[in-house]
Amino acid sequence: MASFPWIVSVDDHTVEPPHLWQDRLPARLRAEGPRVVRAPCREMAFSGGRFTAVMGGPGDGGPPVDWWVYEDLRRPLTRLDTAVGCSRDEVALKGITFEDMRPGSFSVPERLADMDLNHVRSALCFPTFPRFCGQTFAEARDKELALACVRAYNDWMTEEWCGPGAGGRLIPLAIVPLWDAELAAAEVRRTSARGVPAVCFSEIPPYLGLPSVHTDAWDPFLRACEETGTVVAMHIGSSSRMPSTSADAPPAVGSALTFANCCFSLADWLLSGVFERFPRLRVMYAEGQIGWIPYLLERADTVWQENRGWGGVADRVRRPPSELFAGHVHGCFFDDAFGLRSLDAIGVGNVLYETDYPHSDSTWPRSREVAERQMAHLAPEVTERIVRGNAIALLGLTEDGLWPGAARPAGRR
């Protein structure tokens, strides 16, 4: 293809700078708020879909690691948080410091430069320390502090990460206080008023000890999203549990199954009645890939058609799940040739592209190359929609793929 559309990536990540909460929390809360401490790592493991790490003390040897400290949590920065620029052999489960990262992981000017190298026009970025839907704060004891942390993160995201210096190329994505649906709704309305087009949510809330989407517990939050046009963005791992088969399964098993929680989640949403109650609600699955979607839609339609009488959905799901998917759901991918051969069964308008910078799965700096190779069989207008057009429409971006809110006055709120 002589010219290729500039990419709008709907799933990249930011690594929060050490000063974020110390600068933005009220003075009386800063001592207990998230802060970075440098210390060795005594132990780190990822097994059975769960990550664990133990901070070392002054007498322990080993290289220094930067840790986020918050209440009882000790969370190290790891090479998997920011793997771009490293050889495959260097990408291992180990602790790092900010100096060990590619600066584009946490610095706006360097991020924009790395986006230029990767043919990326703009990017929606998920959090790192708060985790993919802010569950770090949902698990905290002090909910007053946790709510302040959520708001501080969203203000930083809007004013600094996606502020005037980014020129509209970084698109804000909010987190919400998951422990209270009314507070979550209020935060959706607060951030939407500042032009934030999307909000993080958990793919499977019960894994976090929260209500499922089969209840009406989330209705205040979902109503706020519908009324403000805010997209509900669910990233793999936003349930704090990656799919695995056993406690001793190597991480590669979970890595091969990263789509599975999205699959389970989509079945939940399609058969919950949520889209009947909120007919303008839109959701997206980040990093879940798309090749699995056609069969799930086929099976869900069959179950709805043949088994809805005893399946508990006859009174809440009134249309075939595939129709609900077409009107409400977007799947996101970065490397899925099979899925691109199945577009007729998924829907061209329901597919978004991503680069996953700066994670180990990222296609940076080859995202254009990967897309050109996998989309070579598609008509140019189809490629245009997948690479940028669908994202522009979903997120309310300018025709050039920029976030229009960057032009608004900054000012903290």
Side-chain angles (χ1 to χ4, degrees), residues 356-376:
D356 196 30
Y357 181 105
H359 286 178
S360 61
D361 262 337
S362 179
T363 51
W364 183 92
R366 303 176 296 104
S367 299
R368 173 180 177 171
E369 175 188 332
V370 171
E372 285 183 315
R373 183 176 67 251
Q374 294 190 348
M375 300 180 198

Side-chain angles (χ1 to χ4, degrees), residues 277-346:
R277 298 201 307 278
F278 301 102
R280 299 185 305 280
L281 187 68
R282 297 166 300 166
V283 306
M284 57 171 267
Y285 285 98
E287 207 172 322
Q289 312 304 329
I290 58 174
W292 54 273
I293 292 175
Y295 176 70
L296 180 66
L297 296 181
E298 178 182 88
R299 177 60 184 166
D301 278 357
T302 299
V303 168
W304 179 82
Q305 184 67 43
E306 304 296 334
N307 300 334
R308 64 179 181 267
W310 63 264
V313 297
D315 61 342
R316 63 176 66 181
V317 182
R318 298 180 179 84
R319 288 180 291 158
S322 60
E323 287 187 19
L324 297 173
F325 176 89
H328 296 272
V329 184
H330 286 76
C332 312
F333 78 101
F334 56 79
D335 188 359
D336 191 342
F338 181 82
L340 287 169
R341 295 196 297 271
S342 309
L343 282 179
D344 287 347
I346 301 169

Side-chain angles (χ1 to χ4, degrees), residues 98-395:
F98 277 91
E99 289 80 6
D100 297 325
M101 295 183 190
R102 190 171 182 87
S105 302
F106 58 87
S107 170
V108 171
E110 284 83 358
R111 173 61 65 93
L112 299 181
D114 278 353
M115 289 164 62
D116 289 340
L117 288 173
N118 202 30
H119 200 69
V120 172
R121 181 60 167 160
S122 54
L124 184 78
C125 295
F126 284 81
T128 297
F129 171 71
R131 310 216 299 278
F132 294 148
C133 67
Q135 58 264 54
T136 292
F137 301 121
E139 295 168 359
R141 293 188 306 273
D142 184 339
K143 288 301 190 282
E144 179 193 8
L145 172 58
L147 180 59
C149 286
V150 166
R151 291 173 173 165
Y153 175 85
N154 290 336
D155 289 346
W156 168 83
M157 167 66 66
T158 307
E159 296 165 8
E160 292 188 39
W161 184 251
C162 302
R169 298 183 62 188
L170 295 172
I171 306 161
L173 174 63
I175 58 176
V176 296
L178 292 167
W179 59 92
D180 186 312
E182 294 285 357
L183 287 177
E187 189 63 10
V188 168
R189 297 184 192 281
R190 187 181 80 91
T191 56
S192 175
R194 307 190 70 182
V196 177
V199 62
C200 301
F201 191 64
S202 175
E203 59 202 352
I204 308 178
Y207 284 0
L208 303 177
L210 299 170
S212 79
V213 295
H214 297 288
T215 73
D216 61 2
W218 294 107
D219 282 11
F221 164 72
L222 298 175
R223 185 174 299 109
C225 290
E226 181 184 52
E227 291 176 356
T228 60
T230 300
V231 178
V232 178
M234 294 172 283
H235 194 284
I236 61 165
S238 56
S239 60
S240 295
R241 187 187 305 179
M242 293 299 288
S244 190
T245 54
S246 64
D248 59 352
V253 172
S255 185
L257 295 172
T258 52
F259 71 93
N261 280 353
C262 293
C263 182
F264 299 158
S265 175
L266 181 57
D268 260 350
W269 282 77
L270 293 179
L271 297 171
S272 67
V274 165
F275 295 134
E276 301 283 3
R277 298 201 307 278
F278 301 102
R280 299 185 305 280
L281 187 68
R282 297 166 300 166
V283 306
M284 57 171 267
Y285 285 98
E287 207 172 322
Q289 312 304 329
I290 58 174
W292 54 273
I293 292 175
Y295 176 70
L296 180 66
L297 296 181
E298 178 182 88
R299 177 60 184 166
D301 278 357
T302 299
V303 168
W304 179 82
Q305 184 67 43
E306 304 296 334
N307 300 334
R308 64 179 181 267
W310 63 264
V313 297
D315 61 342
R316 63 176 66 181
V317 182
R318 298 180 179 84
R319 288 180 291 158
S322 60
E323 287 187 19
L324 297 173
F325 176 89
H328 296 272
V329 184
H330 286 76
C332 312
F333 78 101
F334 56 79
D335 188 359
D336 191 342
F338 181 82
L340 287 169
R341 295 196 297 271
S342 309
L343 282 179
D344 287 347
I346 301 169
V348 171
N350 298 86
V351 175
L352 306 171
Y353 194 54
E354 59 187 49
T355 78
D356 196 30
Y357 181 105
H359 286 178
S360 61
D361 262 337
S362 179
T363 51
W364 183 92
R366 303 176 296 104
S367 299
R368 173 180 177 171
E369 175 188 332
V370 171
E372 285 183 315
R373 183 176 67 251
Q374 294 190 348
M375 300 180 198
H377 65 291
L378 300 177
E381 61 271 19
V382 173
T383 297
E384 171 85 14
R385 289 187 68 183
I386 292 171
V387 169
R388 65 189 301 274
N390 291 338
I392 288 173
L394 181 66
L395 299 172

